[in-house]
Amino acid sequence: MARASQGTTALLLFLLQTLALIQFSHAGGIAIYWGQNGNEGTLTETCATGRYSYVNIAFLNKFGNGQTPEINLAGHCNPAANTCTVVSNGIRSCQSRGIKVLLSIGGGVGSYSLASPSDAKNVADYLWNNFLGGKSTSRPLGDAVLDGIDFDIELGSNKYWEVLARNLNAYSKAGKPVYLTAAPQCPFPDSFLGSALNTGLFDYVWVQFYNNPPCQYSSSAGVNNLLSSWNRWTTSIKAGRIFLGLPAAPAAAGSGYIPPNVLTSQILPVIQKSPKYGGVMLWSKYFDDRTGYSSTIIQSV
C-alpha cells in the first residue's frame, strides 16, 4: 500500500507541475515606453514597480542619411550636456531584476531614414558601439549595455530597415543576443516595417492597436476589428512573441483606448489562446502613472 501511495503522490505532483507549466505558458509580460516625459519617474523607479518585463527607452529620433545621431529623453536629461550617462545606473538596476531594456529608435517626431544598405550598416555599427556591446568614447547613456533595439519607425522611407535588422542580428553572440523588437501599426502589413518583419529576426513585436480605427477597439464597433487584426498578425509573421500595444490612458492616444474591464474580460482571454501571445505593451510610463492601467490588468496579462 505504501508503494501505491507513493506512486499516487508522485503522479499527483507530476500533474500539478504540468498544470502549472501550462498556466505559466500563457503568462505574458507588460512592455512600457519610458523617456518622453520628465514627470514619469526615473528608470530605476520604473523597474522597481515590479509591473514591467520590458522597458523601451524612447527615443533615438535622429539618425541615418549622414546625420549625427541624437537621442531625445524629453525632461529626463540633456544629451548635449552629457547628462544622460546617469541612465546607465537605471539600466543596470532594471537588468538586475531580469527586465530587458531596449533603445527605441524612431518615434512619431524626428528626422530619420536609411539612405542605402551601407548607411544601414553604419547605423547598426553606431548602435552597437554606443548602446550595445561595443566601445565608444561618446556613449550617450553611459557604459551600461542595453539588451537590444526597438524599431518604432513611423516616418520617412520604408527602405533598408531589414538591412539594419540583419546587421544588428549579426552582432548577436551565444549567451548574449541582441534582441530586436518592433512597434508596427495594426494595419497589415506595416507600411514601414513590413520587409524588416519578414526577416523573421524579431524577438518581440508590440503591434500598435491604437490611432488606427480599422483595426482597433471602439465602444461602438466593439472588439471584432481588433481580434480580426490580431489573428492576421499572429498567423502571418514569423516572430518570437506578439504583444497587444495599447494606450495606458485615453489622453495617451487619439483613439483606441480600451477600458481595463473590457480588455480583461473580452480580449485577453481570446488572444491568449495564440501560441505567439507575449503580453501587452503600453504607451507610456507617464500615462500609466496617471491611470494605474498596468496595475489593474497585470494579474490578467
Side-chain angles (χ1 to χ4, degrees):
M1 287 299 290
R3 284 184 184 179
S5 175
Q6 286 174 349
T8 304
T9 302
L11 179 61
L12 280 170
L13 280 171
F14 173 76
L15 288 171
L16 285 169
Q17 288 169 343
T18 303
L19 278 169
L21 282 170
I22 291 170
Q23 288 179 319
F24 184 74
S25 71
H26 286 286
I30 296 177
I32 196 78
Y33 278 85
W34 173 92
Q36 282 302 291
N37 193 300
N39 297 313
E40 62 191 346
T42 66
L43 190 56
T44 297
E45 291 166 345
T46 295
C47 291
T49 63
R51 299 195 299 265
Y52 313 117
S53 301
Y54 314 87
V55 178
N56 295 311
I57 297 177
F59 291 104
L60 185 81
N61 67 345
K62 183 178 179 182
F63 62 88
N65 208 18
Q67 302 179 96
T68 300
E70 291 181 11
I71 192 168
N72 178 314
L73 295 183
H76 287 285
C77 55
N78 180 4
N82 207 34
T83 60
C84 294
T85 54
V86 68
V87 176
S88 266
N89 296 329
I91 294 167
R92 281 189 285 264
S93 176
C94 293
Q95 291 170 332
S96 72
R97 297 173 182 272
I99 297 165
K100 290 182 175 62
V101 188
L102 305 107
L103 174 68
S104 187
I105 64 171
V109 177
S111 172
Y112 55 86
S113 64
L114 300 173
S116 65
S118 61
D119 190 28
K121 174 72 163 67
N122 289 339
V123 170
D125 294 344
Y126 169 82
L127 293 170
W128 171 255
N129 289 322
N130 286 276
F131 297 99
L132 300 168
K135 300 288 184 200
S136 169
T137 56
S138 61
R139 290 175 70 95
L141 302 180
D143 59 357
V145 177
L146 289 166
D147 294 293
I149 302 295
D150 175 58
F151 289 48
D152 182 18
I153 307 306
E154 304 183 32
L155 302 172
S157 165
N158 63 1
K159 290 185 175 180
Y160 310 119
W161 299 111
E162 73 280 5
V163 181
L164 179 60
R166 288 194 183 99
N167 278 288
L168 286 169
N169 181 66
Y171 278 116
S172 282
K173 297 182 178 68
K176 186 58 181 174
V178 173
Y179 287 92
L180 296 181
T181 70
Q185 309 291 315
C186 57
F188 188 90
D190 184 79
S191 58
F192 291 105
L193 290 171
S195 295
L197 292 170
N198 283 340
T199 64
L201 296 175
F202 285 79
D203 300 285
Y204 310 116
V205 177
W206 10 81
V207 183
Q208 297 185 47
F209 288 92
Y210 52 95
N211 294 335
N212 287 290
C215 47
Q216 69 187 30
Y217 168 83
S218 73
S219 55
S220 57
V223 302
N224 288 342
N225 288 347
L226 183 150
L227 294 176
S228 175
S229 180
W230 169 268
N231 188 54
R232 181 92 188 266
W233 277 97
T234 53
T235 56
S236 300
I237 67 163
K238 184 183 173 188
R241 288 283 182 268
I242 297 178
F243 291 64
L244 186 75
L246 300 174
S255 61
Y257 175 77
I258 303 177
N261 64 312
V262 175
L263 178 68
T264 57
S265 66
Q266 298 181 47
I267 297 172
L268 289 178
V270 179
I271 69 173
Q272 283 168 342
K273 293 173 183 174
S274 166
K276 290 280 181 71
Y277 171 79
V280 172
M281 174 274 279
L282 295 176
W283 175 268
S284 61
K285 173 59 166 51
Y286 172 78
F287 289 106
D288 193 32
D289 284 348
R290 309 278 86 74
T291 62
Y293 198 93
S294 64
S295 298
T296 307
I297 68 167
I298 193 167
Q299 295 303 320
S300 301
V301 172

